[in-house]
């Protein structure tokens, strides 16, 4: 077989597969439209949709006739319609899911987060050697869906970035988390306030996880109806676990400035490398040196402790329990340093907001500025 014959066979096979995929995708679109119309979320009455014309497929005509029957039943007998609608969705969802799996296996459809969640539900009770998840009852139910949603967004960002259809920095291919290197965290959504709620002024309860210490101000806002918890992200930092809540809060922002803010007016802050920031005006009029904010250096303070912890870690044997203990101790020190640095930044930002009416921040990108100064042997930099 010559080269031209192989090319012709390849082109013919490619066109045949493309036609088959188009037919599969057309059936999937018809089933998805049928499911959306039967559910009629947010609408009191079922809409049968546009009339299936002569050029429509047999599947589209059959599903349209089924929707017309449901519309007539909803008007004549609402109780019977509710039971028939429930039975229709129970028959339709497994069929649509199987069709999506088939089209995805052929490479013509990329399932989304909810599709992957539905596929997992059909396999979770299988044995481990058959692709099941015997440990799924031990994990919070919402963690799966939030994880699938993040993975779906990561793949979409990578595909749009690779196709040059989005602005910004080029996104890389998503990578799986690796135990011991990736940050330990998970996210739970809060539909209908059933997953996340406060037991008391000091206890936060997550469904499937347990209760933790919480904050009293959030309890007061929830008690007054001025806040609503949207989601929570539980993240491990060093030797501690932190729960970051995303809330919708009704906040009162005063339209009047304080006397201190009116006196200070505009303050410009120049972020540098040696001091943390240099201000255009001192924060305290009595102290002329308060226009310079020194950078916190918790690393230098804890340098001796870090040196001892790193030496103790290097002297242990790989894979031993003592090495894990030494690694936890070293991680605890690094986490404390990060927390002190973050606390200092929060203190500085709070003082700037309370002292000034308007804040202008100028920041120089030092790595890029110094990159042009390297130069070459022929043309040295400055």
């Amino acid at each position: 077989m010559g080269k031209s014959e192989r090319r012709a066979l390849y082109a013919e096979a490619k066109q045949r597969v493309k036609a088959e995929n188009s037919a599969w995708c057309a059936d999937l679109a018809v089933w998805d439209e049928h499911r959306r119309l039967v559910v009629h979320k947010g609408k009191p009455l079922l809409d049968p949709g546009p009339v299936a014309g002569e050029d429509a497929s047999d599947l589209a005509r059959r599903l349209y006739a089924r929707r017309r029957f449901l519309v007539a039943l909803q008007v004549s007998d609402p109780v019977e319609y509710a039971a028939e609608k429930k039975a229709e969705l129970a028959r339709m969802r497994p069929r649509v899911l199987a069709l999506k799996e088939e089209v995805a296996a052929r490479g013509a459809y990329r399932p989304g987060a909810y599709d992957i969640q539905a596929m997992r539900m059909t396999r979770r009770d299988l044995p481990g050697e058959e692709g099941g998840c015997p440990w799924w009852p031990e994990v919070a139910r919402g963690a799966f869906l939030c994880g699938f949603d993040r993975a779906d967004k990561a793949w979409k960002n990578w595909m749009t970035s690779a196709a040059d259809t989005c602005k910004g920095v080029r996104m890389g291919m998503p990578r799986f988390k690796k135990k011991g290197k990736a940050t330990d965290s998970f996210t739970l959504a809060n539909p209908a306030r059933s997953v996340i709620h406060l037991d008391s002024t000091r206890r936060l309860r997550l469904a499937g996880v347990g209760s933790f210490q919480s904050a009293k101000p959030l309890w007061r806002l929830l008690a007054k109806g001025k806040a609503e918890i949207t989601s929570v992200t539980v993240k491990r930092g060093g030797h501690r676990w932190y729960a970051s809540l995303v809330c919708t809060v009704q906040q009162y922002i005063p339209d009047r400035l304080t006397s201190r803010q009116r006196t200070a007016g505009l303050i410009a802050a120049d972020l540098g490398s040696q001091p943390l920031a240099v201000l255009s005006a001192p924060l305290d009029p009595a102290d002329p040196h308060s226009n310079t904010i020194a950078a916190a250096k918790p690393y230098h303070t804890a340098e001796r402790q870090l040196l001892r912890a790193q030496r103790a870690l290097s002297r242990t044997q790989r894979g031993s329990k003592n090495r894990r203990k030494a690694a936890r101790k070293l991680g605890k020190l690094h986490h404390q340093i990060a927390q002190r640095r973050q606390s200092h930044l929060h203190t500085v930002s709070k003082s700037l907001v309370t002292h000034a009416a308007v804040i202008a921040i100028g920041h120089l990108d030092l790595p890029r500025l110094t990159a042009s100064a390297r130069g070459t042997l022929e043309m040295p930099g400055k």
Side-chain angles (χ1 to χ4, degrees):
M1 183 181 294
K3 189 174 182 180
S4 58
E5 295 178 355
R6 288 198 301 270
R7 287 183 177 178
L9 289 175
Y10 175 75
E12 182 182 354
K14 186 177 180 180
Q15 290 295 331
R16 185 170 62 253
V17 171
K18 187 176 181 180
E20 293 176 356
N21 289 343
S22 299
W24 283 92
C25 291
D27 290 345
L28 180 59
V30 172
W31 275 109
D32 263 347
E33 181 69 12
H34 178 66
R35 177 193 57 79
R36 185 183 64 83
L37 292 174
V38 170
V39 173
H40 61 88
K41 184 177 181 181
K43 298 180 180 179
L45 299 177
L46 188 148
D47 182 14
V51 180
E54 296 180 355
D55 56 343
S57 62
D58 294 338
L59 177 63
R61 286 195 291 268
R62 285 191 286 107
L63 295 181
Y64 176 74
R66 181 63 179 170
R67 292 195 297 272
R68 293 292 302 176
F69 166 75
L70 292 175
V71 168
L73 186 62
Q74 185 181 15
V75 176
S76 60
D77 192 351
V79 177
E80 182 66 22
Y81 164 75
E84 191 67 25
K85 174 186 174 182
K86 185 176 180 180
E88 177 70 15
L89 292 176
R91 289 192 300 266
M92 175 180 54
R93 281 169 176 164
R95 191 175 303 175
V96 174
L97 183 61
L99 183 60
K100 286 183 177 181
E101 290 186 11
E102 182 67 25
V103 179
R106 299 172 67 91
Y109 174 74
R110 190 183 67 83
Y114 286 93
D115 297 333
I116 300 174
Q117 171 75 353
M119 295 176 188
R120 185 193 71 87
M121 296 286 286
T122 60
R123 294 179 172 85
R124 67 182 186 182
D125 296 324
L126 297 176
E129 57 272 9
E130 297 181 12
C133 304
W135 40 263
W136 72 266
E138 303 175 5
V139 183
R141 182 180 178 184
F144 288 101
L145 184 58
C146 293
F148 294 146
D149 185 56
R150 286 186 173 184
D152 183 43
K153 291 180 180 179
W155 283 105
K156 283 183 180 178
N157 293 337
W158 173 66
M159 294 175 68
T160 54
S161 179
D164 290 333
T165 56
C166 65
K167 299 179 181 179
V169 183
R170 178 65 63 91
M171 304 293 292
M173 181 182 292
R175 295 175 294 179
F176 288 97
K177 283 189 173 183
K178 189 173 182 180
K179 184 179 179 181
K181 291 188 176 181
T183 303
D184 298 332
S185 66
F186 64 92
T187 302
L188 297 176
N190 193 31
R193 303 181 182 179
S194 59
V195 178
I196 311 165
H197 59 276
L198 296 182
D199 287 343
S200 63
T201 57
R202 302 296 293 173
R203 304 301 296 179
L204 170 69
R205 178 169 293 278
L206 305 180
V209 180
S211 62
F212 309 91
Q213 186 174 353
S214 63
K216 187 177 292 185
L218 179 60
W219 167 270
R220 293 171 180 169
L221 290 174
L222 292 173
K224 295 178 181 179
K226 296 183 178 181
E228 182 179 355
I229 301 176
T230 306
S231 64
V232 61
T233 298
V234 182
K235 180 179 179 181
R236 185 174 69 87
H239 60 295
R240 294 181 178 178
W241 289 86
Y242 299 91
S244 301
L245 296 169
V246 178
C247 304
T248 304
V249 182
Q250 299 178 8
Q251 187 177 7
Y252 170 72
I253 301 178
D255 54 352
R256 294 183 179 181
L257 301 176
T258 62
S259 59
R260 180 188 296 175
Q261 291 173 337
R262 288 194 299 268
T263 303
L266 171 65
I267 289 183
D270 185 15
L271 304 182
S273 58
Q274 185 64 26
L276 179 62
V278 178
L279 307 180
S280 59
L283 293 178
D284 187 5
D287 185 9
H289 300 287
S290 61
N291 64 335
T292 302
I293 301 176
K297 298 181 180 180
Y299 181 83
H300 298 288
T301 306
E303 191 171 5
R304 180 172 296 181
Q305 295 179 346
L306 285 173
L307 182 60
R308 292 176 180 174
Q310 289 168 351
R311 284 177 180 173
L313 178 64
S314 64
R315 290 168 181 165
T316 56
Q317 186 177 0
R318 291 183 179 273
S320 63
K321 292 184 179 180
N322 288 334
R323 188 174 185 86
R324 287 195 292 269
K325 292 180 182 178
R328 283 197 297 267
K329 186 176 181 180
L330 180 61
K332 180 179 179 180
L333 289 174
H334 280 292
H335 176 65
Q336 290 174 350
I337 292 172
Q339 289 296 103
R340 291 167 186 166
R341 187 179 290 114
Q342 187 177 9
S343 176
H344 179 68
L345 293 178
H346 281 302
T347 303
V348 171
S349 59
K350 177 65 180 296
S351 62
L352 287 176
V353 170
T354 55
H355 280 79
V358 181
I359 304 171
I361 299 177
H363 176 58
L364 298 178
D365 195 347
L366 296 180
R368 290 192 178 183
L369 289 175
T370 56
S372 62
R374 296 173 185 172
T376 59
L377 293 176
E378 293 78 11
M379 298 185 64
K382 298 181 180 178

